[in-house]
Amino acid sequence: MRISDRMIQTNTMAGLRGNMSRLAEAQRHAASGRRIERISDDPVDAEQAMHMQGQIANLEQFKRNAISATTRMSTEATVLESARELLARARKLAIGVNADDPADPTRSAAFQELRYIKDQLVSLANTRIGGERIFGGGLSTPPFQANGQYVGGQVVHDVQIDESMRITTSHPGTIFAAAFSGLDQLIVAMQSGTPAQIAAGIAPLAAAEEELLAGQAETGSRQRQIDDTVAQLGSRQRLLLDRASKLTDADPAEALLKVQAATQALERAYVVAQRTLSLNIVDYMR
C-alpha cells in the first residue's frame, strides 16, 4: 500500500488534534477538581459513583423521615406530659374536697375546674401537626368530641428510617380512654356524689396518669432508637461520600502533572507536524 502525502498530512493533523484534546481534558479536570465529569471519562468508576450517589440519596431521605418523626414524637411527648399535669391537678382538687353539700363553694369551684380540665384534655388530645391529628388514627378531623368520645381512625403512624427499619411514631387515641373515663367519674361524683365517691375517683385518675407516663416512656425509647439510627446513617453517608469522592475527584498534584505532560506532548506534536508538513511542501515543489 502506497502512503501518499495526503495520508501523512491527515494522520499528522489527527495526532495534533488528539494531543490538543487530551490537553483540554487535563486542563478541565485540573480546573474542576474532578477526575470524572462524564460517564465516558471512566465508565466503570462512573457507574460505581452513580450507585453510591443513589445510596447517599436514600440515606438522606431516611434522615429526613427521622427528623419528621422526631418532631411528631416530641410534640406527642409534650402533649402527654401536659395531660398528666391536668390529671394531677384533678386529683389534687378531689383530695381537697370534704364537703357533703354539692353547693359548697369549694366543691362547686372544684366541679367547674374539673369541667375546664376536661375541655383542656379534649383540646390536647386533638393536637395536630400540619394537617394531621397526632392521635387521630390517620384522620385530619378532630378525633375527640367535646364529651371525650373518640371518633378517630385506627391507623398508627409510622415511618421508614432505614432500609429494613420502620418505627411507630404515634399512639392511638385510646391512650386517653382511661383519662376521660376517670375525669367523667370524678365530675359526676363532684357534682352530686358523696365525699367517699369523690375519694373513689382519685385512684382511676392515678392509673390513667401511669398509662400516659408509660406512653411517654415508650415515645422516649423510640426517640433514642431514632437518634441511634440517625447517627449510623450519618456515618454510612460520610463513608459513601468519601468513597465516591475518591472515585470522581482528581488529585491536585496528579492533575497538574497530567496537564504538564499533555502540554509537553502537544509541543512535541507541533514540532513533528511542522517538520512533516514542511517536508511535504518541499517534496511537492520539487
Side-chain angles (χ1 to χ4, degrees), residues 123-180:
S123 179
L124 284 172
N126 284 332
T127 297
R128 67 182 180 184
I129 295 180
E132 187 178 359
R133 307 283 173 166
I134 296 179
F135 303 99
L139 301 182
S140 59
T141 54
F144 289 90
Q145 295 181 337
N147 62 359
Q149 181 183 356
Y150 184 71
V151 292
Q154 301 301 319
V155 176
V156 178
H157 194 278
D158 67 350
V159 295
Q160 185 170 1
I161 59 172
D162 205 346
E163 293 176 357
S164 57
M165 181 181 297
R166 299 188 70 88
I167 192 163
T168 301
T169 62
S170 67
H171 286 87
T174 51
I175 194 171
F176 291 102
F180 283 118

Short mmCIF file of all heavy atoms in Angstrom, two decimals, residues 123-180:
data_model
loop_
_atom_site.label_atom_id
_atom_site.label_comp_id
_atom_site.label_asym_id
_atom_site.label_seq_id
_atom_site.Cartn_x
_atom_site.Cartn_y
_atom_site.Cartn_z
N SER A 123 -58.84 19.28 74.06
CA SER A 123 -58.03 20.09 73.15
C SER A 123 -56.66 19.47 72.94
O SER A 123 -56.16 19.42 71.80
CB SER A 123 -57.88 21.51 73.73
OG SER A 123 -57.09 22.31 72.89
N LEU A 124 -56.03 18.98 74.00
CA LEU A 124 -54.72 18.34 73.87
C LEU A 124 -54.81 17.07 73.02
O LEU A 124 -53.96 16.83 72.15
CB LEU A 124 -54.18 17.98 75.25
CG LEU A 124 -53.62 19.12 76.10
CD1 LEU A 124 -53.30 18.63 77.52
CD2 LEU A 124 -52.36 19.70 75.45
N ALA A 125 -55.84 16.27 73.25
CA ALA A 125 -55.99 15.02 72.51
C ALA A 125 -56.26 15.26 71.03
O ALA A 125 -56.03 14.38 70.19
CB ALA A 125 -57.13 14.19 73.11
N ASN A 126 -56.72 16.47 70.70
CA ASN A 126 -56.97 16.83 69.29
C ASN A 126 -55.81 17.59 68.66
O ASN A 126 -55.94 18.15 67.57
CB ASN A 126 -58.24 17.69 69.19
CG ASN A 126 -59.51 16.87 69.34
OD1 ASN A 126 -59.53 15.69 69.01
ND2 ASN A 126 -60.58 17.49 69.86
N THR A 127 -54.66 17.61 69.32
CA THR A 127 -53.49 18.32 68.80
C THR A 127 -53.13 17.82 67.41
O THR A 127 -53.20 16.62 67.12
CB THR A 127 -52.28 18.12 69.74
OG1 THR A 127 -52.58 18.69 71.01
CG2 THR A 127 -51.03 18.80 69.17
N ARG A 128 -52.72 18.74 66.57
CA ARG A 128 -52.34 18.35 65.21
C ARG A 128 -50.98 18.94 64.84
O ARG A 128 -50.54 19.95 65.39
CB ARG A 128 -53.39 18.78 64.19
CG ARG A 128 -53.53 20.28 64.03
CD ARG A 128 -54.62 20.60 63.03
NE ARG A 128 -54.77 22.04 62.83
CZ ARG A 128 -55.71 22.58 62.07
NH1 ARG A 128 -56.57 21.81 61.42
NH2 ARG A 128 -55.79 23.89 61.93
N ILE A 129 -50.35 18.30 63.88
CA ILE A 129 -49.13 18.81 63.26
C ILE A 129 -49.43 18.94 61.78
O ILE A 129 -49.72 17.95 61.11
CB ILE A 129 -47.94 17.86 63.48
CG1 ILE A 129 -47.58 17.80 64.96
CG2 ILE A 129 -46.72 18.36 62.70
CD1 ILE A 129 -46.41 16.89 65.24
N GLY A 130 -49.36 20.15 61.27
CA GLY A 130 -49.75 20.36 59.88
C GLY A 130 -51.23 20.07 59.74
O GLY A 130 -52.07 20.60 60.46
N GLY A 131 -51.56 19.18 58.83
CA GLY A 131 -52.96 18.85 58.60
C GLY A 131 -53.38 17.55 59.22
O GLY A 131 -54.47 17.06 58.95
N GLU A 132 -52.52 16.96 60.07
CA GLU A 132 -52.83 15.65 60.64
C GLU A 132 -52.92 15.71 62.16
O GLU A 132 -52.11 16.36 62.81
CB GLU A 132 -51.76 14.64 60.23
CG GLU A 132 -52.09 13.21 60.64
CD GLU A 132 -51.02 12.24 60.17
OE1 GLU A 132 -50.06 12.69 59.52
OE2 GLU A 132 -51.16 11.04 60.47
N ARG A 133 -53.90 15.06 62.71
CA ARG A 133 -54.05 14.96 64.15
C ARG A 133 -53.14 13.85 64.69
O ARG A 133 -53.14 12.72 64.18
CB ARG A 133 -55.50 14.64 64.52
CG ARG A 133 -56.51 15.59 63.90
CD ARG A 133 -56.56 16.91 64.62
NE ARG A 133 -57.43 17.87 63.90
CZ ARG A 133 -57.87 19.01 64.43
NH1 ARG A 133 -57.53 19.33 65.67
NH2 ARG A 133 -58.64 19.82 63.73
N ILE A 134 -52.37 14.18 65.72
CA ILE A 134 -51.40 13.21 66.24
C ILE A 134 -52.08 11.92 66.70
O ILE A 134 -51.62 10.82 66.43
CB ILE A 134 -50.61 13.83 67.41
CG1 ILE A 134 -49.77 15.00 66.92
CG2 ILE A 134 -49.70 12.78 68.04
CD1 ILE A 134 -48.98 15.67 68.01
N PHE A 135 -53.20 12.07 67.38
CA PHE A 135 -53.90 10.90 67.92
C PHE A 135 -55.17 10.59 67.12
O PHE A 135 -56.09 9.95 67.63
CB PHE A 135 -54.26 11.14 69.39
CG PHE A 135 -53.08 11.47 70.25
CD1 PHE A 135 -52.80 12.79 70.59
CD2 PHE A 135 -52.24 10.47 70.71
CE1 PHE A 135 -51.70 13.11 71.38
CE2 PHE A 135 -51.13 10.79 71.51
CZ PHE A 135 -50.86 12.11 71.84
N GLY A 136 -55.18 11.04 65.86
CA GLY A 136 -56.39 10.91 65.05
C GLY A 136 -56.51 9.63 64.27
O GLY A 136 -57.48 9.46 63.52
N GLY A 137 -55.52 8.75 64.37
CA GLY A 137 -55.61 7.49 63.62
C GLY A 137 -55.61 7.67 62.12
O GLY A 137 -56.25 6.92 61.39
N GLY A 138 -54.87 8.69 61.65
CA GLY A 138 -54.76 8.92 60.21
C GLY A 138 -55.76 9.90 59.65
O GLY A 138 -55.72 10.20 58.45
N LEU A 139 -56.66 10.44 60.49
CA LEU A 139 -57.66 11.40 60.01
C LEU A 139 -57.23 12.82 60.32
O LEU A 139 -56.45 13.08 61.25
CB LEU A 139 -59.02 11.12 60.67
CG LEU A 139 -59.61 9.72 60.44
CD1 LEU A 139 -60.98 9.63 61.10
CD2 LEU A 139 -59.71 9.43 58.95
N SER A 140 -57.73 13.75 59.53
CA SER A 140 -57.40 15.17 59.73
C SER A 140 -58.45 15.88 60.58
O SER A 140 -58.22 16.98 61.08
CB SER A 140 -57.28 15.89 58.38
OG SER A 140 -58.49 15.79 57.64
N THR A 141 -59.60 15.26 60.76
CA THR A 141 -60.66 15.86 61.58
C THR A 141 -60.40 15.58 63.05
O THR A 141 -59.72 14.60 63.40
CB THR A 141 -62.03 15.28 61.18
OG1 THR A 141 -61.96 13.85 61.26
CG2 THR A 141 -62.38 15.69 59.76
N PRO A 142 -60.93 16.42 63.96
CA PRO A 142 -60.73 16.20 65.40
C PRO A 142 -61.19 14.80 65.82
O PRO A 142 -62.34 14.43 65.59
CB PRO A 142 -61.58 17.29 66.05
CG PRO A 142 -61.64 18.37 65.02
CD PRO A 142 -61.70 17.66 63.70
N PRO A 143 -60.32 14.01 66.41
CA PRO A 143 -60.69 12.64 66.77
C PRO A 143 -61.52 12.54 68.05
O PRO A 143 -62.15 11.51 68.30
CB PRO A 143 -59.34 11.95 66.95
CG PRO A 143 -58.42 13.05 67.37
CD PRO A 143 -58.88 14.27 66.63
N PHE A 144 -61.50 13.61 68.86
CA PHE A 144 -62.26 13.57 70.12
C PHE A 144 -63.36 14.62 70.11
O PHE A 144 -63.12 15.79 69.79
CB PHE A 144 -61.33 13.81 71.32
CG PHE A 144 -60.41 12.66 71.61
CD1 PHE A 144 -59.16 12.59 71.01
CD2 PHE A 144 -60.79 11.64 72.46
CE1 PHE A 144 -58.30 11.53 71.27
CE2 PHE A 144 -59.96 10.56 72.73
CZ PHE A 144 -58.70 10.50 72.13
N GLN A 145 -64.55 14.20 70.45
CA GLN A 145 -65.66 15.13 70.58
C GLN A 145 -65.58 15.85 71.92
O GLN A 145 -64.77 15.50 72.79
CB GLN A 145 -66.98 14.38 70.45
CG GLN A 145 -67.19 13.76 69.08
CD GLN A 145 -68.52 13.04 68.94
OE1 GLN A 145 -69.12 12.62 69.93
NE2 GLN A 145 -68.99 12.90 67.71
N ALA A 146 -66.44 16.85 72.09
CA ALA A 146 -66.39 17.67 73.31
C ALA A 146 -66.62 16.84 74.57
O ALA A 146 -66.09 17.16 75.65
CB ALA A 146 -67.42 18.79 73.22
N ASN A 147 -67.35 15.74 74.45
CA ASN A 147 -67.61 14.90 75.63
C ASN A 147 -66.52 13.87 75.88
O ASN A 147 -66.62 13.04 76.78
CB ASN A 147 -68.97 14.20 75.50
CG ASN A 147 -69.02 13.25 74.29
OD1 ASN A 147 -68.04 13.14 73.55
ND2 ASN A 147 -70.15 12.60 74.08
N GLY A 148 -65.45 13.91 75.04
CA GLY A 148 -64.34 12.98 75.21
C GLY A 148 -64.47 11.70 74.42
O GLY A 148 -63.58 10.84 74.47
N GLN A 149 -65.54 11.54 73.68
CA GLN A 149 -65.72 10.33 72.87
C GLN A 149 -64.77 10.33 71.69
O GLN A 149 -64.61 11.34 71.01
CB GLN A 149 -67.17 10.23 72.38
CG GLN A 149 -67.43 8.97 71.55
CD GLN A 149 -68.86 8.92 71.02
OE1 GLN A 149 -69.67 9.78 71.34
NE2 GLN A 149 -69.16 7.90 70.20
N TYR A 150 -64.16 9.16 71.45
CA TYR A 150 -63.20 9.04 70.34
C TYR A 150 -63.93 8.68 69.05
O TYR A 150 -64.67 7.69 69.01
CB TYR A 150 -62.15 7.98 70.66
CG TYR A 150 -61.09 7.87 69.58
CD1 TYR A 150 -60.14 8.87 69.42
CD2 TYR A 150 -61.03 6.77 68.74
CE1 TYR A 150 -59.16 8.78 68.45
CE2 TYR A 150 -60.05 6.66 67.75
CZ TYR A 150 -59.13 7.68 67.61
OH TYR A 150 -58.17 7.60 66.64
N VAL A 151 -63.71 9.47 68.01
CA VAL A 151 -64.33 9.22 66.70
C VAL A 151 -63.27 9.19 65.60
O VAL A 151 -63.58 9.36 64.42
CB VAL A 151 -65.41 10.29 66.38
CG1 VAL A 151 -66.59 10.16 67.32
CG2 VAL A 151 -64.80 11.70 66.45
N GLY A 152 -62.02 8.99 66.02
CA GLY A 152 -60.92 8.99 65.04
C GLY A 152 -60.76 7.65 64.35
O GLY A 152 -61.56 6.73 64.53
N GLY A 153 -59.67 7.55 63.55
CA GLY A 153 -59.40 6.33 62.82
C GLY A 153 -58.58 5.35 63.64
O GLY A 153 -58.34 5.54 64.84
N GLN A 154 -58.12 4.30 62.97
CA GLN A 154 -57.38 3.23 63.64
C GLN A 154 -55.94 3.10 63.13
O GLN A 154 -55.22 2.19 63.54
CB GLN A 154 -58.11 1.90 63.45
CG GLN A 154 -59.55 1.91 63.98
CD GLN A 154 -59.63 2.21 65.45
OE1 GLN A 154 -58.81 1.74 66.25
NE2 GLN A 154 -60.62 3.03 65.84
N VAL A 155 -55.54 4.00 62.24
CA VAL A 155 -54.19 3.92 61.67
C VAL A 155 -53.16 4.45 62.67
O VAL A 155 -53.35 5.51 63.26
CB VAL A 155 -54.11 4.73 60.36
CG1 VAL A 155 -52.67 4.73 59.83
CG2 VAL A 155 -55.06 4.16 59.32
N VAL A 156 -52.09 3.71 62.87
CA VAL A 156 -50.98 4.15 63.71
C VAL A 156 -49.86 4.61 62.80
O VAL A 156 -49.40 3.87 61.94
CB VAL A 156 -50.49 3.02 64.63
CG1 VAL A 156 -49.29 3.49 65.45
CG2 VAL A 156 -51.60 2.56 65.56
N HIS A 157 -49.44 5.85 62.96
CA HIS A 157 -48.45 6.46 62.07
C HIS A 157 -47.08 5.83 62.28
O HIS A 157 -46.63 5.65 63.41
CB HIS A 157 -48.38 7.96 62.33
CG HIS A 157 -47.65 8.72 61.27
ND1 HIS A 157 -46.27 8.83 61.24
CD2 HIS A 157 -48.11 9.41 60.20
CE1 HIS A 157 -45.93 9.56 60.20
NE2 HIS A 157 -47.01 9.92 59.55
N ASP A 158 -46.40 5.49 61.18
CA ASP A 158 -45.02 5.01 61.27
C ASP A 158 -44.23 5.50 60.05
O ASP A 158 -44.82 5.92 59.05
CB ASP A 158 -44.94 3.49 61.39
CG ASP A 158 -45.41 2.77 60.12
OD1 ASP A 158 -45.97 3.45 59.23
OD2 ASP A 158 -45.21 1.55 60.02
N VAL A 159 -42.91 5.49 60.17
CA VAL A 159 -42.05 5.94 59.07
C VAL A 159 -40.88 4.98 58.92
O VAL A 159 -40.50 4.27 59.86
CB VAL A 159 -41.50 7.37 59.32
CG1 VAL A 159 -42.61 8.40 59.34
CG2 VAL A 159 -40.70 7.43 60.61
N GLN A 160 -40.30 5.00 57.73
CA GLN A 160 -39.12 4.18 57.47
C GLN A 160 -37.89 5.03 57.71
O GLN A 160 -37.72 6.09 57.10
CB GLN A 160 -39.13 3.66 56.03
CG GLN A 160 -37.98 2.69 55.73
CD GLN A 160 -38.14 2.00 54.40
OE1 GLN A 160 -39.09 2.26 53.67
NE2 GLN A 160 -37.22 1.11 54.06
N ILE A 161 -37.02 4.57 58.61
CA ILE A 161 -35.82 5.35 58.93
C ILE A 161 -34.54 4.62 58.51
O ILE A 161 -33.44 5.11 58.76
CB ILE A 161 -35.76 5.69 60.43
CG1 ILE A 161 -35.77 4.42 61.28
CG2 ILE A 161 -36.92 6.61 60.81
CD1 ILE A 161 -35.54 4.70 62.77
N ASP A 162 -34.69 3.46 57.91
CA ASP A 162 -33.55 2.75 57.34
C ASP A 162 -34.09 1.73 56.36
O ASP A 162 -35.31 1.52 56.27
CB ASP A 162 -32.72 2.08 58.44
CG ASP A 162 -31.27 1.87 58.01
OD1 ASP A 162 -30.97 1.99 56.80
OD2 ASP A 162 -30.41 1.58 58.88
N GLU A 163 -33.21 1.06 55.65
CA GLU A 163 -33.65 0.15 54.60
C GLU A 163 -34.58 -0.93 55.12
O GLU A 163 -35.53 -1.33 54.44
CB GLU A 163 -32.41 -0.49 53.95
CG GLU A 163 -31.56 0.52 53.16
CD GLU A 163 -30.31 -0.12 52.61
OE1 GLU A 163 -30.08 -1.31 52.89
OE2 GLU A 163 -29.55 0.57 51.90
N SER A 164 -34.33 -1.43 56.31
CA SER A 164 -35.16 -2.50 56.85
C SER A 164 -35.72 -2.14 58.23
O SER A 164 -35.94 -3.01 59.06
CB SER A 164 -34.35 -3.80 56.96
OG SER A 164 -33.20 -3.60 57.76
N MET A 165 -35.95 -0.85 58.45
CA MET A 165 -36.44 -0.42 59.76
C MET A 165 -37.54 0.62 59.62
O MET A 165 -37.34 1.69 59.05
CB MET A 165 -35.30 0.17 60.61
CG MET A 165 -35.76 0.60 62.01
SD MET A 165 -34.41 1.33 62.98
CE MET A 165 -33.30 -0.06 63.11
N ARG A 166 -38.68 0.29 60.16
CA ARG A 166 -39.79 1.23 60.30
C ARG A 166 -40.07 1.38 61.78
O ARG A 166 -39.95 0.42 62.54
CB ARG A 166 -41.05 0.73 59.57
CG ARG A 166 -40.88 0.55 58.07
CD ARG A 166 -42.20 0.26 57.40
NE ARG A 166 -43.07 1.43 57.39
CZ ARG A 166 -43.06 2.36 56.43
NH1 ARG A 166 -42.23 2.24 55.41
NH2 ARG A 166 -43.88 3.38 56.49
N ILE A 167 -40.46 2.58 62.17
CA ILE A 167 -40.70 2.82 63.58
C ILE A 167 -42.02 3.55 63.77
O ILE A 167 -42.36 4.46 63.00
CB ILE A 167 -39.54 3.62 64.22
CG1 ILE A 167 -39.67 3.61 65.75
CG2 ILE A 167 -39.47 5.04 63.69
CD1 ILE A 167 -38.39 4.01 66.44
N THR A 168 -42.76 3.13 64.77
CA THR A 168 -44.04 3.76 65.08
C THR A 168 -43.79 5.11 65.76
O THR A 168 -42.99 5.19 66.68
CB THR A 168 -44.87 2.86 66.01
OG1 THR A 168 -45.09 1.61 65.35
CG2 THR A 168 -46.22 3.49 66.32
N THR A 169 -44.48 6.13 65.31
CA THR A 169 -44.22 7.48 65.83
C THR A 169 -45.43 8.07 66.55
O THR A 169 -45.43 9.25 66.87
CB THR A 169 -43.82 8.42 64.69
OG1 THR A 169 -44.90 8.51 63.75
CG2 THR A 169 -42.58 7.93 63.98
N SER A 170 -46.45 7.27 66.80
CA SER A 170 -47.62 7.81 67.50
C SER A 170 -48.32 6.72 68.28
O SER A 170 -48.09 5.53 68.06
CB SER A 170 -48.59 8.44 66.50
OG SER A 170 -49.15 7.43 65.66
N HIS A 171 -49.18 7.15 69.18
CA HIS A 171 -50.04 6.22 69.92
C HIS A 171 -51.48 6.41 69.43
O HIS A 171 -51.85 7.51 69.02
CB HIS A 171 -49.96 6.50 71.41
CG HIS A 171 -48.69 6.03 72.04
ND1 HIS A 171 -47.54 6.82 72.08
CD2 HIS A 171 -48.36 4.86 72.64
CE1 HIS A 171 -46.58 6.15 72.68
NE2 HIS A 171 -47.04 4.96 73.03
N PRO A 172 -52.28 5.38 69.52
CA PRO A 172 -53.69 5.55 69.15
C PRO A 172 -54.41 6.42 70.17
O PRO A 172 -53.97 6.57 71.31
CB PRO A 172 -54.22 4.11 69.16
CG PRO A 172 -53.31 3.38 70.10
CD PRO A 172 -51.96 4.01 69.93
N GLY A 173 -55.52 6.97 69.76
CA GLY A 173 -56.28 7.84 70.64
C GLY A 173 -56.76 7.15 71.90
O GLY A 173 -57.08 7.82 72.91
N THR A 174 -56.78 5.83 71.89
CA THR A 174 -57.25 5.08 73.06
C THR A 174 -56.36 5.29 74.28
O THR A 174 -56.75 4.91 75.39
CB THR A 174 -57.33 3.58 72.74
OG1 THR A 174 -56.07 3.16 72.17
CG2 THR A 174 -58.43 3.30 71.74
N ILE A 175 -55.19 5.89 74.08
CA ILE A 175 -54.31 6.15 75.22
C ILE A 175 -54.96 7.12 76.20
O ILE A 175 -54.61 7.18 77.37
CB ILE A 175 -52.95 6.70 74.74
CG1 ILE A 175 -51.92 6.63 75.88
CG2 ILE A 175 -53.07 8.11 74.20
CD1 ILE A 175 -50.50 6.95 75.44
N PHE A 176 -55.95 7.90 75.73
CA PHE A 176 -56.66 8.84 76.60
C PHE A 176 -57.95 8.27 77.18
O PHE A 176 -58.65 8.95 77.94
CB PHE A 176 -57.02 10.11 75.82
CG PHE A 176 -55.83 10.94 75.44
CD1 PHE A 176 -55.32 10.90 74.15
CD2 PHE A 176 -55.22 11.77 76.37
CE1 PHE A 176 -54.22 11.67 73.80
CE2 PHE A 176 -54.12 12.54 76.03
CZ PHE A 176 -53.62 12.49 74.73
N ALA A 177 -58.28 7.03 76.85
CA ALA A 177 -59.56 6.45 77.29
C ALA A 177 -59.69 6.45 78.81
O ALA A 177 -60.72 6.87 79.37
CB ALA A 177 -59.69 5.03 76.74
N ALA A 178 -58.65 5.99 79.50
CA ALA A 178 -58.70 5.94 80.96
C ALA A 178 -58.78 7.32 81.57
O ALA A 178 -59.44 7.53 82.60
CB ALA A 178 -57.50 5.18 81.49
N ALA A 179 -58.11 8.28 80.94
CA ALA A 179 -58.11 9.65 81.46
C ALA A 179 -59.51 10.25 81.39
O ALA A 179 -60.00 10.84 82.36
CB ALA A 179 -57.13 10.50 80.67
N PHE A 180 -60.17 10.10 80.25
CA PHE A 180 -61.52 10.64 80.11
C PHE A 180 -62.51 9.91 81.02
O PHE A 180 -63.39 10.52 81.64
CB PHE A 180 -61.98 10.58 78.66
CG PHE A 180 -61.39 11.65 77.79
CD1 PHE A 180 -60.58 11.34 76.71
CD2 PHE A 180 -61.65 12.99 78.05
CE1 PHE A 180 -60.05 12.33 75.90
CE2 PHE A 180 -61.12 13.99 77.25
CZ PHE A 180 -60.32 13.67 76.18
#
